[in-house]
Amino acid sequence: MKDMKDLKKLKEKEFAEKADRSKNTISLLRKHAFVLAVIVAAFMLFHAQKDYNNYAGSQLVMAEVINVEGADNKNINVVYRYNIAGKEYESDKIQYLEKIKKGDKKGIRVKKNNPEVILKYNDINYAVLCDVLIGLCLELAVLWMYKMTIYMLPSVEE
């Protein structure tokens, strides 16, 4: 009878130790997931702020397409000619495939302090929104990894 009680106490002790280990592991994983989520959020905000500053110091100009070349299957290299404050510039931009030909007029966004640089997007809000969406996707990935790790831990009942 005493052996049964000792066995029961031993099982209860093992169960309690396993529960404590699981709780400690989950707590550690929560801390790591939180730190990773904060890092991703900071990265997203930093990148969005950088893009906003880059695009805020820019202007839209009308440009004439003077050359179009295929860069690869997804992109084309377009050379534009445009005037800013009476000075003529020529610069190229690699962009997604679109129906565009020599002689077309198109609005492009260039840096005010360096007009030779053509920015990727014409809309400031779109550029920042892309950064935020990428950040949110990374945050969801962190949450998904946390949840999957928690579900993969052995349960206390085993």
Side-chain angles (χ1 to χ4, degrees):
M1 188 87 158
K2 184 175 177 169
D3 287 339
M4 287 297 273
K5 284 184 182 180
D6 288 345
L7 187 60
K8 189 175 181 181
K9 282 185 180 181
L10 185 62
K11 285 284 185 190
E12 286 175 0
K13 184 178 176 185
E14 285 177 7
F15 181 79
E17 287 174 355
K18 211 174 202 181
D20 284 345
R21 278 195 307 272
S22 290
K23 284 179 187 175
N24 289 342
T25 302
I26 290 172
S27 176
L28 184 63
L29 286 171
R30 274 193 186 121
K31 288 175 186 171
H32 287 312
F34 177 76
V35 168
L36 190 56
V38 168
I39 290 170
V40 168
F43 171 75
M44 176 191 66
L45 290 173
F46 169 77
H47 202 67
Q49 180 69 34
K50 186 181 96 178
D51 271 353
Y52 178 79
N53 289 340
N54 193 28
Y55 278 81
S58 66
Q59 65 185 34
L60 277 172
V61 296
M62 284 305 291
E64 178 185 356
V65 175
I66 59 172
N67 193 20
V68 179
E69 296 174 350
D72 57 38
N73 291 339
K74 296 178 185 175
N75 298 307
I76 55 176
N77 187 37
V78 181
V79 180
Y80 293 98
R81 180 181 297 137
Y82 48 97
N83 288 304
I84 299 176
K87 187 172 180 188
E88 189 171 277
Y89 296 92
E90 276 187 22
S91 194
D92 65 330
K93 174 183 175 183
I94 293 179
Q95 58 192 54
Y96 288 111
L97 286 173
E98 67 176 84
K99 290 185 178 186
I100 191 169
K101 61 186 182 308
K102 189 175 180 178
D104 285 354
K105 301 278 189 213
K106 187 170 181 200
I108 59 170
R109 184 169 287 278
V110 298
K111 288 187 167 188
K112 285 181 182 175
N113 60 351
N114 190 2
E116 294 89 14
V117 176
I118 301 174
L119 298 174
K120 186 173 183 176
Y121 305 110
N122 285 347
D123 185 11
I124 297 171
N125 295 328
Y126 183 76
V128 173
L129 180 65
C130 286
D131 293 335
V132 171
L133 289 176
I134 289 169
L136 289 175
C137 288
L138 288 172
E139 291 287 347
L140 288 174
V142 168
L143 289 174
W144 179 80
M145 287 188 304
Y146 168 73
K147 282 295 186 187
M148 291 307 297
T149 306
I150 295 298
Y151 288 132
M152 292 170 77
L153 286 175
S155 65
V156 177
E157 291 82 32
E158 291 177 355

